[in-house]
Amino acid sequence: MKRISIAIDGLSASGKSTLAQGLAKALNYIYIDTGAMYRAVTLFALREKLIDHESNLNEEGMIMALPRIYLTFRFNPGTGKSEICLNGRNVEKEVRAHEVSRQVSVVSRLPEVREKLVIAQRRIGEAGGVVMDGRDIGTVVLPNAELKFFMTASIKARGERRHAELARRGRAIALDDVLSNLQERDRIDSTREHSPLTQAEDAIVIDNSDLSIEQQFDHMMSCAQQVLNA
Ligand code: DC
């Protein structure tokens, strides 16, 4: 059985990671959450005070610090997810903090940051048998991926999902704050100069505003089966 690469791109909180994880599990592939990598670099920048509350990034300091950032994934059999480790420490929980979400787009638009992470992502993706999600996977990281999806949903659906997810983790963030964070990230992620979020020409678009996770999963699995059987 051939092992393909599946690229899933899309807007923030469009449900990419839930579906990517589900597909990876069903196909027995590895799942790589590239957003977690950008979030871990952002966490490092916050800890090193390279970024302030007004989102001013010390770009030179960030670039100088890049060789001190070592990212790996560790599989957690309890959650079935590969969790992000920053310099050997599992930071899966910390990278989901609202402060990291607030600052991540500013860090991830720096070309030097992208270059470092894209090299690592390509190395993981080259061998196939991978589901990778992010913003530039189908266009830049794995342009030859055999199957590409572009996921989108209304801002209302995405805001409500992210709000509920934060609440489940005990983080009471007002819905308005979640919505404005998503809108601001959409704006920066889509308009930045390097590797903006764009839909690959050969991507299958999934607008999941009104689709259940099961409906999306079934559709995406049948697309994967078609490619695998071709
Ligand atoms: O998928 P996420 O919301 O966890 O991603 C966090 C941020 O990382 C997102 O706002 C933009 C950035 N990102 C990126 O620039 N390129 C990727 N491939 C993945 C994420």
Side-chain angles (χ1 to χ4, degrees), residues 17-29:
S17 64
T18 307
L19 273 303
Q21 272 179 78
L23 287 180
K25 191 168 174 212
L27 294 164
N28 202 15
Y29 284 8

Side-chain angles (χ1 to χ4, degrees), residues 34-35 38-39 104-105 108 114 134-136 185 189 192:
T34 63
Y38 288 94
R39 286 171 177 273
V104 64
S105 287
S108 52
R114 305 204 68 79
R135 303 292 187 290
D136 57 348
R185 280 206 286 148
D189 295 345
R192 69 178 172 224

